Amino acid sequence: MEVEEALRQRIEGMEQRISNLERLVRVSLMLNSTLSLEPLLETIIQVITELTDTEDCSILLFDEKTGELRFRAARRMRREELEHISVPLDNSIAGWIFRENKPLLIRDAQRDDRFYQAVDEKLNFRTRSIIGVPLQARGQVIGVLEAINKRGGKELSWEDVNIMTTLAAQAAIAIENARLMEELQKAYDKLHELDRLKSDFISIAAHELRTPLSLILGYASFLRTSATGQASEQLDIVLQSAMRLNSLIGDMVNLRHIQTGEVQLELETFSLNDLVRSCIQEFLSLASAKQQTMGVNLPSPPLMIEADRQKLHLVLGNLLSNAVKFTPAGGRIEVLVCEHDEKAWVCVRDTGIGIPRKEWERVFDRFYQVEPSLSRRYEGMGLGLSIAKGMVELHGGRIWVESEVGKGSNFIFHLPLSQTPHSGEEP
Ligand code: ADP
């Protein structure tokens, strides 16, 4: 009979272990798929209390700011209580486990010198026995996992320690991942907020600058008509600077419109050849002042396109202005237009300073400039290309750059010939 009873007990024990192991496998799968810290911690303490059949379980994480262990989850504490309760690294069981990076099983906590009474006193709770295991992620101890008071008058065992150690290994990595994810989310939110502030600032600044500037432009143009000699030269400079300011403000407004989706295409059918020619015309004097030559290669018959003429004018203007700006004296700028694959292709090519490979995509980002802003030799706000990209994409096209440092850049964009793709096939 005794043998039978012993056998029955062994079988029961093994069944319990198997069920615990099954539970552990299920839990570890779940831990790996949870990236939200609070629910993750709740799950861990719930599972540990169940598997060890204890009254409570706590998770303490190391707080780098205070150099203490801080409760992050425990059933016997209310959520708002948690963050105010910390445990010192010296003279506490959790502190010992953390420092030594070893598990600990204490059957009579009240008699242990390391036991830190203050937590029990605060919570009006009595810790009798305790197991603690270190939480270790990526080779570093990040906290301690504790289970307290076995239920039903039983004693905590090394089997419980094993269960906790197994789970702690998985839990620590999951906690660390969730923490990283939270930090990432916070950084992302902050970035989003900064972006919104910047966008609001642009909108307010542009609005406030426009009124006084239009007054300056108006009066300066008026005075220019009657001025002679030195005064007229000086007024020309005032007008040029005011116009430059005006175009910078225009860039700011355009960018904001693209960002908020407020821009709409005003479509018309026109000759792309004509548009390119007139844009080049606008830059000829600027280019020749820098001893640059300009060339153009246009298709014949002229390429007709259905698009927003003003917006394409802006795209070409930004590309040409960059080409002139970033090409040294003696350089050459060329614009090529052709039709291919039912698209209009435009290349603006220069023999300028070029753009390193790793910057090819970033130059289209808002405010991005290859040269750091404080040591820049070229003026500008880093908006032209992002506006050009926005305008091209609004037409359903694509823009990119190919370039070699010291040799030159080739900005290429293509647009559908028509904004209503099937209209050409209709009778
Ligand atoms: P901005 O010209 O006002 O700085 P853009 O958005 O037009 O702003 O251009 C972003 C950056 O891309 C420029 O500051 C420059 O570093 C680089 N870039 C643009 N066009 C050229 C070019 N043709 N050659 C060399 N670098 C260029």
Side-chain angles (χ1 to χ4, degrees), residues 322-323 325-326 350 353-355 363 368-371 376 379-386 409 411:
N322 279 345
K325 186 161 68 174
F326 295 105
D350 65 54
I353 59 170
I355 300 168
V363 288
Y368 190 79
Q369 299 178 309
V370 175
E371 286 201 317
R376 244 176 338 125
E379 54 185 22
M381 287 201 298
L383 291 182
L385 288 180
S386 64
S409 307
F411 281 86

Side-chain angles (χ1 to χ4, degrees), residues 317-366:
N318 283 345
L319 295 183
L320 283 170
S321 134
N322 279 345
V324 173
K325 186 161 68 174
F326 295 105
T327 301
R332 181 163 177 80
I333 292 148
E334 272 176 4
V335 183
L336 280 80
V337 178
C338 68
E339 183 191 340
H340 172 66
D341 214 8
E342 290 183 27
K343 289 180 191 122
W345 290 67
V346 181
C347 307
V348 178
R349 203 187 270 168
D350 65 54
T351 56
I353 59 170
I355 300 168
R357 177 74 187 87
K358 63 177 177 23
E359 313 277 6
W360 286 4
E361 271 160 37
R362 296 196 68 186
V363 288
F364 292 95
D365 288 350
R366 280 172 292 141

Side-chain angles (χ1 to χ4, degrees), residues 25 78 109:
V25 172
R78 278 177 287 125

Side-chain angles (χ1 to χ4, degrees), residues 121-142:
E121 280 163 16
K122 258 190 206 151
L123 299 172
N124 205 11
F125 184 88
R126 188 170 167 80
T127 303
R128 297 189 305 275
S129 52
I130 191 164
I131 288 178
V133 295
L135 286 164
Q136 193 178 353
R138 295 184 185 90
Q140 228 189 341
V141 188
I142 60 165

Side-chain angles (χ1 to χ4, degrees), residues 170-184:
Q170 309 260 356
I173 291 168
I175 289 170
E176 200 56 9
N177 286 344
R179 285 214 292 204
L180 287 175
M181 195 66 188
E182 266 185 6
E183 272 170 33
L184 212 64

